[in-house]
Amino acid sequence: MTEPRAIEGEVSARGRRVAIAAARFNDFIVSSLLKGATAAWTARGGAAADLAVVRVPGAFELPLAAKKLGASGRYDAVVALGCVIRGDTPHFDYVAGECARGISQAGLETGVPVIFGVLTVETVEQALERAATAAGNKGGEAMEAALEMASLLKQL
Ligand code: INI
């Protein structure tokens, strides 16, 4: 039997334009995610002038900024970065839940990949583990997912 035709995205930033929307809340973590994302952009051949970084107050504000960036037609993908750490109140559930739902919705409504690079963790230690500057940086992984999806969507 002949093999089915495989369609896969390429993780390359060459010729791509990407926007990052990053929350300022918990900046001691988000700045590391941002470093990981920009390092992945450069490592994959992206030009500095083709990467935009937009800051918003907190994770709750990421969906609206991501939607506007996606709808602008200027970017092949949007990466949303943030960090929500569980506290003693139900606030976490509202912020994390609305952020995840809104980011998914922004992608579906604009047709532009919007990547969920938001840590939702119980403790600061868990956040630090995932924002390490070396391997395992979730910002870098989010950028790679954005590049793969941008390439894939162009083929579908
Ligand atoms: N925003 C975050 O990005 N992370 C959090 O952990 C957080 N907590 O815990 O409150 C948080 N709150 C702010 C929120 O995102 C909005 O900026 C604010 O409610 C104004 O709309």
Side-chain angles (χ1 to χ4, degrees):
M1 195 187 109
T2 41
E3 291 293 315
R5 192 161 69 92
I7 306 174
E8 285 183 54
E10 190 196 354
V11 187
S12 168
R14 284 183 203 287
R16 297 270 181 248
R17 286 173 307 170
V18 166
I20 297 174
R24 273 195 305 272
F25 204 101
N26 288 329
D27 189 57
F28 70 108
I29 297 293
V30 180
S31 59
S32 290
L33 297 176
L34 195 48
K35 268 191 202 146
T38 54
W41 171 258
T42 305
R44 297 291 179 168
D50 293 328
L51 181 67
V53 179
V54 173
R55 300 308 296 254
V56 299
F60 193 82
E61 284 72 39
L62 286 171
L64 184 57
K67 184 176 173 181
K68 185 104 199 216
L69 289 164
S72 72
R74 287 199 288 270
Y75 304 104
D76 300 304
V78 178
V79 178
L81 299 178
C83 175
V84 193
I85 302 175
R86 189 183 286 282
D88 295 333
T89 70
H91 198 69
F92 171 95
D93 300 298
Y94 291 109
V95 173
E98 285 308 301
C99 174
R101 193 189 56 79
I103 284 173
S104 165
Q105 201 182 330
L108 294 174
E109 285 177 1
T110 62
V112 172
V114 178
I115 304 302
F116 187 65
V118 179
L119 301 181
T120 57
V121 293
E122 301 286 328
T123 64
V124 170
E125 289 69 33
Q126 288 176 347
L128 288 168
E129 275 166 26
R130 289 159 180 77
T133 42
N137 184 300
K138 296 292 172 195
E141 288 177 19
M143 177 59 76
E144 289 179 350
L147 297 176
E148 181 175 345
M149 284 302 290
S151 166
L152 178 67
L153 286 207
K154 300 248 184 272
Q155 301 174 62
L156 300 182

